[in-house]
Amino acid sequence: MQCDDLWRSVHLATMAGGGADYGAIPDGAIAVHQGRIAWLGREAELPADLQPAAEHDGGGRWLTPGLIDCHTHIVHAGNRSDEFEARLNGVPYEEIARRGGGIVSTMRATRAASEAELLAASLPRVRTLLAEGVTTLEVKSGYGLDTPNEAKMLRVARELARVLPLRVRTTFLGAHALPPEYAGRPDDFIHLMCEETLPALVAEGLVDAVDAFCEHIGFTPAQTRRMFEAAAAHGLQVKLHAEQLSDQGGAALVAGFKGLSADHLECLSAEGIDAMARAGTVAVLLPGAFYFLRETRLPPVQALREAGVPMAVSTDCNPGTSPMPSLLAAMNMACTLFRLTPQEALAGATRHAAAALGLQAELGTLQTGKRADFALWSIDRPADLCHGLGLNPCWQVVNAGVPRTPTGS
């Protein structure tokens, strides 16, 4: 049995199955061939005919699937620390948005930036995630809000995967906010996004999925449905910013389209949970936004558990409400703020995050045949990944079988 690389002396947290032990295989080994996992198990049970071209000593470290950040707005220009200060001085987020701040503020900065400038601004944020063991990243548009600038953002997202050891999934979020030139005409704007912008982006090969912001300061369920129908016409899967500030029935709406995920969910209803459970729609929890907005209403984690809805965890990295390029911090917050267990948080950043991107057949667990994306950690137990805040114990990251130091290089 030939393989390209063999990692010995590792404890494997496979994250396969639903047990309470991280799918752990202590004193293990993992073999990689042509970018795929060829074998894994206890080192004492290595096949006698295994012939690796190269061997790596894991030094007794823990090895997990590569982390997956499944909800980010990481490609953007500008800075909104002024709004952070305003919120701390008592101005609500909704009021900041109505004054022309929020998403529209970032839209102005992003429209003014060239592709090269957007890439240069995004790279440090992405490299920070790579240094924490992230191997797959979702990137949303939504700060261009017209055809050329939405395309510009998504081209930069694609470029990230060309210049960094990273897999990128792109999401068209044209229905993110209403640009000033369409003030008072939201239906006309949705028509533009559906009939001009989305077809142009699809023709350029820039879109993997479609998202929308269904909220009283965003778009109505009817307008969101139009976006989803346009996505379906192009054979694209959908996801949704749902029930963050109010219950608009968004979770049930996206579940009705067999959507990949419903994200935020602080105001999620029992009806929404039931619809997600029946559709297999993933709940993406975003504790960074909860923290930065100083929210007090928790997403219904226990009800999601009881319904069997898979829960992913992501950074929501964005310039206004979650300027946090750290998935390890998001995992800690998911435990401390939302009361996920460390096992649930790690599953949320691996197995369930893969499902939230439609990549569960390829990524998210350590299993034979899957893509060889994984990370090695200098920790005593997997719970350490959620326990320390501001610590990064990542020792090595492997992308499609290629090892690198955890610096994004």
Side-chain angles (χ1 to χ4, degrees), residues 70-84:
C70 65
H71 179 130
T72 85
H73 307 256
I74 208 161
V75 172
H76 63 265
N79 180 292
R80 280 158 53 190
S81 60
D82 56 335
E83 296 176 14
F84 175 71

Side-chain angles (χ1 to χ4, degrees), residues 273-284:
I273 293 172
D274 181 62
M276 292 174 66
R278 285 186 280 108
T281 299
V282 177
V284 178

